[in-house]
Amino acid sequence: LRLVVLISGGGSNLRALLQASEDAEFPARVVAVGADRQADGLAHAEEFGIPSFVVPFTSYPSREAWGDALLAQLREWEPDVVVLSGLMKLLPAQVVEAYAPAIINTHPAYLPEFPGAHGVRDALAAGVAETGASVIIVDNGVDSGPILHQRRVPIEPGDTEATLHERIKLLERELLIQTVLDLANNDIDLKDFA
Ligand code: GRF
């Protein structure tokens, strides 16, 4: 299964996928890593010898133009699945249209609880005892697509956004790798979501 992974930040979830795909038995390969900015996580692609590309959001006059440039890059790599893993931008409609439902996203909350860019902070602020991690199919909404895998994560007393996010990420990586396996083995059939 050919994966292109899109990031904006540190790429710890990307790294987990790169490590998993080092195993010859793993039925998926990250063929390229893309980012909307000079993300630190691009260093993981470099380390693993995976091509990367940057389509800087700030270089384009509109979200639409950025989307066209991103789509052109994606097409070069012919991904079977596009993985959003810490991409902090909503995909423009033409990109979703081109690849849906073969676009998945990891989110650090138990969707539909706490969607959006601050899911960890929002869960902490809500004072709930637990939150979670989710892997969904990307649609044109904000973290609103069909849920493929999700698990609960406890919020511990004294948790900060950082400590809670780290605990969630450990689980996100597991769910992401499981989702990729399910897609590669057709245990999840994307045609069911078309
Ligand atoms: C992850 O929690 C992801 O779900 C969220 O942003 C975080 C990215 O972390 N969208 P990293 O860049 O993979 O370390």
Side-chain angles (χ1 to χ4, degrees):
L1 198 69
R2 294 173 60 85
L3 309 176
V4 172
V5 183
L6 300 181
I7 64 170
S8 298
S12 66
N13 287 340
L14 160 68
R15 186 178 184 82
L17 261 185
L18 291 171
Q19 284 167 330
S21 54
E22 291 263 280
D23 174 348
E25 301 290 306
F26 191 68
R29 286 288 167 276
V30 178
V31 296
V33 176
D36 61 325
R37 54 185 287 275
Q38 285 301 337
D40 292 348
L42 291 167
H44 300 311
E46 179 86 25
E47 183 186 330
F48 282 78
I50 306 294
S52 64
F53 59 88
V54 178
V55 183
F57 188 78
T58 49
S59 302
Y60 293 84
S62 69
R63 169 181 291 279
E64 176 86 10
W66 177 69
D68 288 341
L70 177 60
L71 188 47
Q73 271 292 345
L74 286 171
R75 287 208 165 108
E76 301 254 317
W77 300 101
E78 298 179 335
D80 297 313
V81 178
V82 179
V83 181
L84 309 188
S85 185
L87 181 74
M88 299 312 278
K89 289 282 181 308
L90 289 181
L91 282 187
Q94 72 268 34
V95 182
V96 176
E97 194 61 39
Y99 286 102
I103 312 173
I104 63 174
N105 180 37
T106 60
H107 183 73
Y110 200 82
L111 292 171
E113 298 165 4
F114 309 118
H118 305 293
V120 180
R121 183 193 311 172
D122 296 344
L124 210 48
V128 292
E130 55 181 14
T131 180
S134 306
V135 178
I136 62 170
I137 284 180
V138 173
D139 62 11
N140 279 307
V142 179
D143 300 320
S144 53
I147 296 168
L148 297 180
H149 283 294
Q150 64 180 171
R151 284 240 295 276
R152 282 288 181 188
V153 174
I155 297 181
E156 310 288 356
D159 258 336
T160 63
E161 185 177 346
T163 59
L164 176 55
H165 204 164
E166 267 322 298
R167 188 176 313 120
I168 293 169
K169 282 184 182 181
L170 293 177
L171 197 55
E172 276 188 273
R173 288 163 207 159
E174 279 183 46
L175 296 184
L176 185 56
I177 287 166
Q178 186 57 54
T179 304
V180 167
L181 278 172
D182 291 346
L183 292 172
N185 300 332
N186 226 35
D187 291 331
I188 293 177
D189 185 346
L190 286 173
K191 283 192 287 301
D192 296 341
F193 300 95

